[in-house]
């Protein structure tokens, strides 16, 4: 790890790892995602065929992981910005890490409920 | 990677040196982040939570969305900002982990090609999209194609 990175306690360091790992994962997903969407320019059949595989249980779980990565990266990104800008946020670091995980859980539960219903319920 | 000397430029709280272009990169990540939050969470909500979620997505669904200029522009802005933000983030990672100068050069080059290539491809797809291709099976097309034929 580079010596120019400043740590503020354990939570901050773990969240730094989470932020990097999710950022990289989303980046590679996005490259593939634009390629698969570009199949709409090939033919309706080609697009529907590839998107059809995204509706299988295995991909359903991968999509759940992707949404989890996005939510964590997004909320943690807001926390990073807040901590850099305000001394209040800097003083409440620990609580803000909790806030990230609570916001994550609050959105993840209804999402999983609905998404896994579509994937496994054959809606 | 050497010990800190007192002549180093002042640090910003994220730890990245406040050095000319790097300061701009730092600001860019903080401006695009919150915008992407709104763009992407809306994208995920519409495509995965409304209607039949993932089961509804097919050619006709995409045609329905891109019939509206709002979603065309939405996807274009999301495409450009996500790739620039993600690509710049990846550049920072390369700087952290790739120590050999030639390796850095190769990785930066590959990143640049990937980011620009995908932005060009994605933009072309949005704006050259044909919702009613003549030789396609009509049952796969959006219902508004009947009026067009
Ligand atoms: C959803 C809204 C998003 C927010 C709020 C957000 C926020 C941020 C912020 C504030 C940083 C800078 C962290 C720092 O300087 O320490 C960052 C870094 C990064 N972001 Fe995002 N981002 C978002 C979406 C994305 C997307 C879509 C991608 C991929 C395409 C991505 C990939 C990255 C990467 C690779 C880094 C570098 C990580 C590092 O240097 O450790 N982010 N993000
Ligand atoms: C499992 C989750 C996802 C699904 C099912 C999905 C589905 C789709 C669909 C159906 C389209 C076609 C047009 C539209 O609906 O607007 C699309 C386009 C797009 N999506 Fe997603 N998406 C997902 C996640 C994401 C994420 C996380 C990002 C950002 C990092 C993203 C970025 C984009 C972009 C930039 C386009 C435009 C592509 C182009 O220009 O060709 N999507 N997506």
């Amino acid at each position: 790890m580079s010596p120019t990175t400043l740590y503020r306690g354990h939570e901050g360091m773990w969240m730094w790892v989470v932020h990097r790992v999710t950022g990289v994962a989303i980046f590679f997903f996005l490259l593939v995602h634009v390629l698969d969407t570009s199949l709409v320019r090939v033919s309706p059949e080609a697009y529907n065929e590839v998107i059809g595989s995204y509706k299988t249980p295995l991909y359903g779980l991968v999509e759940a992981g992707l949404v989890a990565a996005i939510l964590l990266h997004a909320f943690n990104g807001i926390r990073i910005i807040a901590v850099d800008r305000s001394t209040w946020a800097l003083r409440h670091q620990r609580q803000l890490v909790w806030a990230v995980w609570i916001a994550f859980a609050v959105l993840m539960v209804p999402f999983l409920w609905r998404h896994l219903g579509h994937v496994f319920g054959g809606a | 990677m050497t010990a800190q000397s007192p002549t180093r430029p002042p640090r910003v709280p994220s730890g990245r040196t406040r050095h000319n272009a790097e300061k701009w990169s730092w600001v860019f990540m903080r401006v695009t982040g919150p915008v992407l939050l709104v763009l992407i969470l809306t994208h995920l909500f519409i495509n995965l939570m409304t209607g039949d979620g993932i089961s509804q997505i097919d050619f006709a669904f995409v045609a329905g969305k891109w019939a509206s200029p709002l979603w065309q522009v939405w996807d274009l802005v999301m495409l450009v900002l996500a790739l620039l933000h993600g690509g710049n983030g990846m550049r920072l990672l390369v700087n952290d982990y790739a120590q050999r100068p030639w390796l850095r050069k190769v990785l930066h080059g590959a990143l640049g090609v990937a980011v620009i290539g995908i932005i060009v491809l994605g933009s072309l797809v949005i704006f050259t999209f044909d919702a009613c291709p003549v030789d396609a099976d009509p049952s796969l097309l959006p219902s508004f194609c009947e009026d067009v034929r």
Side-chain angles (χ1 to χ4, degrees):
Chain A
M1 290 164 199
S2 81
T4 49
T5 306
L6 189 68
Y7 299 107
R8 302 189 195 86
H10 290 286
E11 293 85 0
M13 192 186 79
W14 278 109
M15 295 313 274
W16 177 81
V17 173
V18 167
H19 202 76
R20 285 218 145 159
V21 171
T22 52
V24 173
I26 300 163
F27 180 76
F28 284 110
F29 161 80
L30 184 58
L31 299 184
V32 176
H33 185 49
V34 176
L35 289 175
D36 63 51
T37 302
S38 70
L39 289 174
V40 296
R41 289 299 289 122
V42 176
S43 74
E45 286 84 358
Y47 183 77
N48 288 357
E49 166 117 18
V50 170
I51 289 300
S53 65
Y54 288 2
K55 302 171 187 176
T56 59
L58 178 64
Y59 277 93
L61 295 176
V62 174
E63 285 142 20
L66 173 76
V67 171
I70 289 272
L71 291 178
L72 276 177
H73 187 97
F75 295 149
N76 189 55
I78 301 299
R79 183 191 65 90
I80 294 174
I81 296 171
V83 169
D84 279 349
R85 288 184 63 97
S86 109
T87 52
W88 178 89
L90 186 55
R91 274 185 280 115
H92 295 81
Q93 277 254 47
R94 282 174 65 94
Q95 289 91 326
L96 286 177
V97 170
W98 276 102
V100 167
W101 286 98
I102 291 170
F104 167 72
V106 164
L107 290 198
M108 223 30 213
V109 168
F111 163 72
L112 283 178
W113 184 270
R114 222 174 137 68
H115 184 64
L116 297 182
H118 290 133
V119 171
F120 291 99
Chain B
M1 294 297 288
T2 52
Q4 310 273 316
S5 75
T7 52
R8 282 182 79 101
R11 299 228 231 108
V12 288
S14 76
R16 298 210 161 98
T17 44
R18 195 187 282 269
H19 220 126
N20 42 57
E22 289 310 324
K23 162 140 201 236
W24 192 83
S25 147
W26 187 88
V27 171
F28 178 78
M29 295 307 270
R30 277 148 183 80
V31 171
T32 49
V35 179
L36 281 168
L37 183 137
V38 174
L39 293 173
I40 296 176
L41 294 197
T42 306
H43 181 67
L44 291 174
F45 184 81
I46 304 244
N47 288 4
L48 293 176
M49 298 290 279
T50 63
D52 287 331
I54 185 89
S55 317
Q56 72 193 332
I57 295 178
D58 58 12
F59 183 86
F61 175 84
V62 179
K65 272 187 85 172
W66 283 348
S68 146
L70 170 71
W71 295 120
Q72 287 187 322
V73 172
W74 193 283
D75 284 0
L76 179 71
V77 176
M78 186 164 66
L79 173 81
V80 173
L81 290 186
L83 277 155
L84 291 181
H85 174 106
N88 189 47
M90 294 296 287
R91 183 185 66 84
L92 297 170
L93 261 90
V94 168
N95 290 346
D96 272 4
Y97 298 116
Q99 304 295 338
R100 293 189 192 76
W102 65 267
L103 182 61
R104 263 190 201 202
K105 254 193 199 139
V106 169
L107 292 176
H108 283 162
L111 257 180
V113 170
V115 166
I116 293 173
I118 291 289
I119 288 179
V120 170
L121 174 70
S123 316
L124 283 175
V125 167
I126 296 173
F127 290 107
T128 66
F129 179 69
D130 178 4
C132 310
V134 274
D135 50 349
D137 175 353
S139 70
L140 301 179
L141 302 182
S143 51
F144 60 72
C145 288
E146 284 165 26
D147 314 328
V148 177
R149 277 154 194 273

